[in-house]
Amino acid sequence: MEQSDAATRPRNGDRKAPPTIYDIARLTGVSPSTVSRALNKPGRLNAQTERRIRDAAAELGYRINPMARALPTGKTGTLGLLVSDITNPAYFDLVRAAERVASETGMTIVFADSQESPELERATAERLQTSVDGLLLVGSRLEDHQIQDLSSVKPLVVVNRLVEGIPAVIPDVRPGITTALERLREAGHRRIAYLAGPEASWMNGQRWQHAFEIAVQWDMSIVEIKSNAPTREGGAEAFGRVKAADVSAVLAYNDLVALGLLRECRDHGLDVPGRLSIIGFDDIFGADLPTPALTTIRMPLALAGERGIRRLLIEIDGGASENEAALPTVFVDRESIGPAA
Amino acid sequence: MEQSDAATRPRNGDRKAPPTIYDIARLTGVSPSTVSRALNKPGRLNAQTERRIRDAAAELGYRINPMARALPTGKTGTLGLLVSDITNPAYFDLVRAAERVASETGMTIVFADSQESPELERATAERLQTSVDGLLLVGSRLEDHQIQDLSSVKPLVVVNRLVEGIPAVIPDVRPGITTALERLREAGHRRIAYLAGPEASWMNGQRWQHAFEIAVQWDMSIVEIKSNAPTREGGAEAFGRVKAADVSAVLAYNDLVALGLLRECRDHGLDVPGRLSIIGFDDIFGADLPTPALTTIRMPLALAGERGIRRLLIEIDGGASENEAALPTVFVDRESIGPAA
DNA sequence: ATAGCGCTGGCAATCGGTTGACGACTCACG
DNA sequence: CGTGAGTCGTCAACCGATTGCCAGCGCTAT
């Protein structure tokens, strides 16, 4: 592999310091405070002076130093985004949407992943808090009081989680689950299983609870099957228990475990959807790839990311909290469900 | 959906200012500068004084204010990560590895996505540069001179790209492509196609160039087929042109286009690998999901992310640049190639 | 003529740390 | 007992912006 020549590459010492408002002030013969006003209090100054200063700033290629501004104002222009597991494709769209909204409003996203570890999540959250204006916690595995503590330091919004006293953006899983169970019922399924996610996940609780209620209401039997991890491996590993449960359909915590289970079924020659129907959750990238393509319940995660950031911005401004319309989930029927065996 | 009660939620005014070194100084009866030294120059002070100060700091729950530190030192403790498209699963592992290494060394990652737009990439890079110690550009779509300009402002490392005078981390595509074409040749393929990626992508050039050289060397014919976008849609859209090209195998720019093409073949009843063999690039999440599972060339992207950040840290320290061992790609044989029709 | 006002722009303090220079103090040694 | 070498902690300047307060100016209204 070719290597760049150290002699021609700019070393740290070579880089010239970027221009400051003092440079502009000197160039235009005004004081630094006037420059500051010209740049961020339009109208406060004489129009000509302002023009002159702006031109000089443009000419020098001036860019404000966010650190220097942060000191007196206390605003860093930065938002923290903390997700439980970045390698879960479910978060891709959320992250991107969040990043887009943030940069549209001139904010910068600092980003971290807690790798499903509550310890790491707490430590990271605390570290980030010193340098951001607010924090967006997605799929937090912390306990309620820990989240409340964090919220007493800096504005904070949670996504996929409900905590007393904390602003939240939460998709409503009910419509998706209702439709899904309706379809299963129409197809003759009477015994189904819920393949669970992490216990620390609030969203897992929601999914189980609603599936349970609806199943009971419709006279279907439902059992909860544990999984080791909310990943494809976790789903594959649960195969034996699913088989032993003697159910005709499985609703999985998320698409990752559904995909893992689906693959394991294929490898063991268990026909899906002939012998077993499988429904996932999230509608992640790749859910439509296998044969049969995965039937799933789509979470509006890009929207959740956008709403989360907007909500956080309002929170930072000290704005009033308004009730939000719920973000509905939708059932996406593909190929992994069929008539009960 | 339940809504949190605005009255009980901490509003901005409620939050108390975090402790500063001045608070610690007052508490322990020393001067602020002594506190500063106690905290970052271990050994510079009397052991007892240092102890007393550290204890007081711990008791107050002191956390350093990164902005305040950044001002005199010029070091923000932050690294910028700019990828061409965050929704490409290829980058997930890279991003996560980068984040992990960064936080191990106490750095924070600020993260942005340029959505395949050079304009946006440049603007974002410039904006980030004011608040980071260095920038990692992954799969940049900028022109060489633009990258060089950026590099003259702050330390910068590129991944998946080679630019004169700029430190780079680059997987070596040769081994993977060589093995792949070897297999195709053994399987009797003589006419193959390269389904191309974005012209602004240096990596696309590499892949084409090496595939071309090796094909020529082995007396296989090879044609380049354009695609609209490096996505599944782009791959699907190229189906007609692939069919018209009368080749028995396709090497795709990346797994996304390979997957798109594969799906389109299935939908049109073109047997893969019976009538057409397909090889992807990257080995992204989901490549093993379809039937047939996608044969591909794996890029060591997590490793690239890690190396990229380490290299950047060295660059920031003004350290000497050392030649790096190349990161080899490996051929992952799954189910999408077979004997030539 | 003068008080009063709005418009402009400067002064200086401030945010929270970092760091070079320096003085006070201790101690050993000749 | 005087001196030189360390050791320890303080002083004060500084990083780059923001902002409350004030002064000078020209103008109008009384």
Side-chain angles (χ1 to χ4, degrees):
Chain A
M1 191 176 317
E2 209 169 315
Q3 197 59 31
S4 51
D5 176 9
T8 67
R9 166 146 24 99
R11 308 207 53 252
N12 257 349
D14 301 347
R15 307 184 216 264
K16 59 201 165 318
T20 72
I21 58 169
Y22 292 84
D23 297 323
I24 303 178
R26 205 170 320 113
L27 191 62
T28 53
V30 299
S31 90
S33 47
T34 303
V35 176
S36 173
R37 290 200 176 89
L39 265 22
N40 35 71
K41 303 268 188 322
R44 170 71 170 74
L45 260 43
N46 180 305
Q48 292 191 11
T49 320
E50 189 177 320
R51 193 65 269 132
R52 236 173 62 234
I53 296 177
R54 296 200 112 95
D55 289 349
E59 189 186 345
L60 289 174
Y62 172 75
R63 315 204 88 87
I64 198 166
N65 178 332
M67 308 296 152
R69 163 179 276 176
L71 210 36
T73 62
K75 313 266 85 192
T76 64
T78 297
L79 266 21
L81 176 58
L82 196 45
V83 304
S84 52
D85 177 9
I86 179 56
T87 61
N88 183 342
Y91 293 132
F92 299 160
D93 286 335
L94 186 150
V95 170
R96 177 182 225 173
E99 209 272 327
R100 182 177 47 73
V101 175
S103 66
E104 276 170 14
T105 56
M107 298 272 135
T108 301
I109 291 275
V110 330
F111 165 80
D113 158 39
S114 61
Q115 302 174 40
E116 292 282 350
S117 151
E119 287 318 313
L120 193 55
E121 181 175 349
R122 201 189 46 73
T124 308
E126 287 189 356
R127 189 165 57 82
L128 286 186
Q129 278 197 321
T130 64
S131 42
V132 302
D133 292 339
L135 213 49
L136 190 66
L137 250 38
V138 179
S140 176
R141 305 303 192 228
L142 295 180
E143 297 178 23
D144 283 10
H145 69 90
Q146 295 180 299
I147 294 180
Q148 284 156 343
D149 288 350
L150 288 172
S151 168
S152 72
V153 176
K154 283 271 175 74
L156 181 155
V157 170
V158 291
V159 173
N160 276 7
R161 174 84 180 239
L162 191 62
V163 180
E164 164 96 35
I166 307 291
V169 173
I170 308 174
D172 179 6
V173 294
R174 214 168 165 107
I177 295 182
T178 305
T179 312
L181 294 203
E182 200 170 285
R183 293 298 158 76
L184 287 181
R185 190 163 194 284
E186 288 166 8
H189 296 269
R190 289 298 177 272
R191 299 180 47 78
I192 67 176
Y194 175 72
L195 183 50
E199 304 202 10
S201 161
W202 181 86
M203 194 37 95
N204 176 54
Q206 286 289 295
R207 290 171 182 178
W208 161 246
Q209 186 190 322
H210 283 124
F212 180 83
E213 283 173 11
I214 293 167
V216 165
Q217 177 186 328
W218 289 348
D219 259 347
M220 302 161 81
S221 84
I222 186 169
V223 295
E224 184 178 7
I225 297 177
K226 304 267 183 230
S227 68
N228 285 341
T231 58
R232 288 174 63 180
E233 292 68 36
E237 181 274 339
F239 173 75
R241 272 167 283 141
V242 169
K243 224 175 145 193
D246 184 33
V247 296
S248 62
V250 172
L251 175 63
Y253 162 66
N254 70 9
D255 286 344
L256 254 19
V257 306
L259 251 13
L261 178 62
L262 180 59
R263 160 60 56 102
E264 203 70 5
C265 289
R266 174 183 149 180
D267 291 353
H268 286 74
L270 178 70
D271 183 34
V272 175
R275 300 284 310 282
L276 183 72
S277 289
I278 299 181
I279 300 179
F281 228 116
D282 289 343
D283 193 23
I284 62 175
F285 170 89
D288 61 331
L289 251 19
T291 308
L294 187 65
T295 292
T296 189
I297 295 167
R298 177 180 301 153
M299 293 275 283
L301 284 170
L303 198 52
E306 179 180 333
R307 292 282 179 84
I309 295 292
R310 292 201 195 288
R311 185 61 189 275
L312 184 54
L313 290 170
I314 292 173
E315 207 65 20
I316 289 171
D317 286 347
S321 68
E322 290 155 29
N323 280 343
E324 298 234 1
L327 312 181
T329 49
V330 353
F331 179 68
V332 180
D333 199 358
R334 286 200 270 251
E335 305 162 355
S336 66
I337 68 173
Chain B
M1 191 176 318
E2 210 169 317
Q3 197 59 32
S4 51
D5 176 8
T8 67
R9 165 147 24 100
R11 307 209 53 252
N12 256 349
D14 302 348
R15 308 183 213 263
K16 57 200 168 313
T20 71
I21 58 169
Y22 291 84
D23 298 323
I24 303 177
R26 204 170 321 114
L27 191 64
T28 54
V30 298
S31 89
S33 47
T34 305
V35 176
S36 173
R37 291 207 168 84
L39 266 21
N40 346 281
K41 305 266 176 354
R44 168 70 169 75
L45 260 42
N46 179 307
Q48 292 190 11
T49 319
E50 189 177 320
R51 192 64 271 130
R52 237 173 60 235
I53 294 176
R54 296 200 111 95
D55 290 348
E59 189 186 345
L60 289 174
Y62 172 76
R63 316 203 87 88
I64 197 166
N65 178 330
M67 308 296 151
R69 164 179 274 177
L71 209 36
T73 61
K75 313 266 84 189
T76 65
T78 296
L79 267 21
L81 176 58
L82 195 45
V83 305
S84 52
D85 177 9
I86 180 56
T87 60
N88 183 342
Y91 293 132
F92 299 160
D93 286 336
L94 185 150
V95 170
R96 177 181 224 171
E99 209 273 327
R100 183 177 47 73
V101 175
S103 66
E104 276 170 14
T105 56
M107 297 272 137
T108 301
I109 291 275
V110 330
F111 165 79
D113 158 39
S114 60
Q115 302 174 42
E116 294 280 351
S117 151
E119 286 320 311
L120 192 55
E121 181 175 349
R122 201 189 46 75
T124 308
E126 286 189 357
R127 190 166 54 84
L128 285 186
Q129 277 196 321
T130 64
S131 43
V132 301
D133 292 340
L135 213 49
L136 191 66
L137 249 38
V138 180
S140 176
R141 305 302 191 230
L142 295 180
E143 296 179 23
D144 283 11
H145 69 91
Q146 294 179 301
I147 294 180
Q148 285 157 342
D149 288 350
L150 288 171
S151 169
S152 72
V153 175
K154 283 272 176 72
L156 180 155
V157 171
V158 290
V159 173
N160 276 8
R161 175 83 181 239
L162 191 61
V163 180
E164 165 96 36
I166 306 292
V169 173
I170 308 175
D172 180 4
V173 294
R174 217 172 163 105
I177 295 182
T178 305
T179 311
L181 293 202
E182 199 170 285
R183 292 299 157 75
L184 288 181
R185 191 162 194 287
E186 287 166 10
H189 296 270
R190 290 297 175 273
R191 299 180 47 78
I192 67 177
Y194 175 73
L195 183 50
E199 303 202 11
S201 161
W202 181 86
M203 193 38 95
N204 176 55
Q206 286 288 297
R207 290 172 182 178
W208 160 247
Q209 185 190 324
H210 283 124
F212 179 84
E213 283 173 10
I214 294 166
V216 166
Q217 177 187 330
W218 288 348
D219 259 347
M220 301 161 82
S221 83
I222 185 168
V223 296
E224 185 178 7
I225 298 178
K226 304 268 182 231
S227 69
N228 286 340
T231 59
R232 288 173 63 182
E233 292 68 36
E237 181 274 339
F239 173 76
R241 270 166 283 141
V242 169
K243 225 175 142 192
D246 183 35
V247 296
S248 62
V250 173
L251 174 62
Y253 162 65
N254 70 8
D255 285 346
L256 254 19
V257 306
L259 251 15
L261 178 62
L262 180 58
R263 159 61 55 101
E264 203 69 5
C265 288
R266 175 184 148 182
D267 291 353
H268 287 74
L270 179 69
D271 183 34
V272 175
R275 300 283 310 282
L276 182 72
S277 291
I278 299 181
I279 299 179
F281 228 115
D282 288 343
D283 194 21
I284 62 175
F285 170 89
D288 60 331
L289 250 20
T291 309
L294 186 65
T295 293
T296 188
I297 295 167
R298 177 178 301 153
M299 292 275 282
L301 285 170
L303 197 53
E306 179 181 333
R307 292 282 179 83
I309 294 291
R310 291 200 195 290
R311 185 61 190 277
L312 185 53
L313 290 170
I314 292 174
E315 207 65 18
I316 289 170
D317 287 346
S321 68
E322 291 155 28
N323 281 343
E324 299 233 0
L327 312 181
T329 48
V330 353
F331 179 68
V332 180
D333 199 357
R334 287 200 271 251
E335 305 162 355
S336 65
I337 68 173

